[in-house]
Amino acid sequence: QVQLVESGGGLVQPGGSRRLSCAAFGFSIVNYLMRWYRQAPGKERELVAFITVGGSTDYVDSVKGRFTISRDSAKNTVDLQMNSLKAEDTATYFCNAERVYAYWGQGTQVTVSS
């Protein structure tokens, strides 16, 4: 059974860092396009970062230079390292895997507040 489980969310102060992790079950992440999305209250879900099968990465402009997506094929996880966090980064963060079909995790909440 295909499953994605996010972890690592929580409350962090502005300027702080947080590392999110997405654990994949039932498939190998290296064969899938892996993405992190986020959704803030009252806003549409937004693509934050992705890593391709070949290992290429890209980011939405608002997080470039602050966030880093990476994968660990041995652990079958995809992480999102978030630095210099801002209040506007507050959202529920979702992991997504896509090949023929798309799969979603349940999300993990990140709140940036003092």
Side-chain angles (χ1 to χ4, degrees), residues 4 12 16 24 32-33 50 54 58 66 80 82-83 87 98 108 113:
L4 296 170
V12 60
Y32 281 69
L33 171 64
F50 67 82
D58 206 356
R66 300 189 297 122
L80 186 68
M82 306 185 295
N83 300 326
E98 184 170 347
T108 186
S113 175

Side-chain angles (χ1 to χ4, degrees), residues 30-48:
V30 297
N31 296 322
Y32 281 69
L33 171 64
M34 300 298 299
R35 296 180 279 212
W36 281 98
Y37 284 79
R38 66 185 179 187
Q39 187 167 21
K43 294 188 177 181
E44 294 186 354
R45 192 167 293 191
E46 172 189 43
L47 175 61
V48 176

Side-chain angles (χ1 to χ4, degrees), residues 58-79:
D58 206 356
Y59 305 85
V60 66
D61 284 347
S62 60
V63 308
K64 282 183 178 178
R66 300 189 297 122
F67 289 14
T68 303
I69 188 172
S70 62
R71 67 186 180 193
D72 186 327
S73 57
K75 295 181 180 179
N76 213 32
T77 57
V78 177
D79 289 356

Side-chain angles (χ1 to χ4, degrees), residues 14-28:
S17 297
R18 201 80 181 181
R19 189 175 186 89
L20 305 182
S21 187
C22 171
F25 302 92
F27 69 99
S28 176

